[in-house]
């Protein structure tokens, strides 16, 4: 059997405040905006590390799917508020320097840089929507 040629194009993270999310991913993390699409009062903002182009993250309204019930919307909102709805794992060659620069912006720290027992050195923040943003030492 021949191996399939599949790659990651986009991953979606919910956002509840497009401007705050844009400020975090663009201004704090240094990502570039690849696309910014509005529909009514909703926005989908596609970002990626500068010069990378992809894979990218689409910052999307959390309940834009018409098939989501009001009860599900409430559950999503509650999970986002607790920071348990979505996670993204990024990597950097300078974890301590990256941590210091992000922390200096006032971003909410979940975990300072630490050597994990499973062999990874990492730290973690919450983005403006409550998403768990974990950064590994590359």
């Amino acid at each position: 059997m021949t191996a399939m040629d599949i790659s990651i194009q986009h991953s979606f993270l919910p956002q509840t405040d497009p401007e705050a999310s844009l400020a975090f991913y663009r201004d704090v993390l240094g990502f570039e905006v690849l696309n910014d699409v509005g529909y009514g009062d909703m926005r989908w903002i596609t970002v990626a590390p500068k010069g990378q182009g992809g894979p990218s993250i689409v910052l999307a309204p959390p309940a834009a799917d018409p098939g989501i019930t009001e009860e599900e919307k409430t559950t999503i909102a509650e999970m986002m508020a607790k920071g348990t709805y979505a996670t993204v794992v990024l990597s950097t060659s300078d974890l301590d320097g990256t941590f210091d620069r992000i922390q200096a912006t006032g971003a909410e720290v979940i975990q300072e840089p630490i050597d994990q027992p499973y062999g990874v050195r990492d730290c973690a923040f919450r983005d403006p929507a409550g998403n768990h943003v974990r950064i590994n030492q590359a």
Side-chain angles (χ1 to χ4, degrees), residues 66-87:
I68 294 177
T69 66
E70 287 305 315
E71 183 179 341
E72 290 167 332
K73 288 178 184 179
T74 300
T75 300
I76 290 168
E78 289 170 353
M79 291 180 71
M80 287 176 66
K82 291 191 315 188
T84 58
Y85 186 69
T87 301

Side-chain angles (χ1 to χ4, degrees), residues 54-104:
S56 59
I57 297 170
V58 179
L59 304 167
D65 184 332
I68 294 177
T69 66
E70 287 305 315
E71 183 179 341
E72 290 167 332
K73 288 178 184 179
T74 300
T75 300
I76 290 168
E78 289 170 353
M79 291 180 71
M80 287 176 66
K82 291 191 315 188
T84 58
Y85 186 69
T87 301
V88 63
V89 180
L90 309 172
S91 67
T92 182
S93 60
D94 179 14
L95 184 68
D96 294 311
T98 298
F99 175 84
D100 290 343
R101 285 189 299 278
I102 295 171
Q103 183 183 37

Side-chain angles (χ1 to χ4, degrees), residues 26-75:
R26 182 193 60 206
D27 304 337
V28 174
L29 297 184
F31 285 16
E32 64 183 331
V33 177
L34 303 178
N35 205 1
D36 189 339
V37 177
Y39 180 77
D41 61 351
M42 297 181 287
R43 277 173 72 190
W44 289 258
I45 304 166
T46 305
V47 296
K50 279 194 177 163
Q52 182 175 306
S56 59
I57 297 170
V58 179
L59 304 167
D65 184 332
I68 294 177
T69 66
E70 287 305 315
E71 183 179 341
E72 290 167 332
K73 288 178 184 179
T74 300
T75 300

Side-chain angles (χ1 to χ4, degrees), residues 11-14 25 57 83-90 110 124-125 130-134:
S11 183
F12 285 71
L13 283 180
Y25 286 93
I57 297 170
T84 58
Y85 186 69
T87 301
V88 63
V89 180
L90 309 172
I110 296 174
F125 295 90
N131 297 310
H132 184 153
V133 178
R134 186 159 287 280

Side-chain angles (χ1 to χ4, degrees), residues 105-129:
T105 69
E108 182 181 344
V109 175
I110 296 174
Q111 174 202 299
E112 294 187 4
I114 187 171
D115 293 319
Q116 298 288 1
Y118 44 87
V120 173
R121 180 168 174 75
D122 66 1
C123 66
F125 295 90
R126 286 181 70 184
D127 77 4

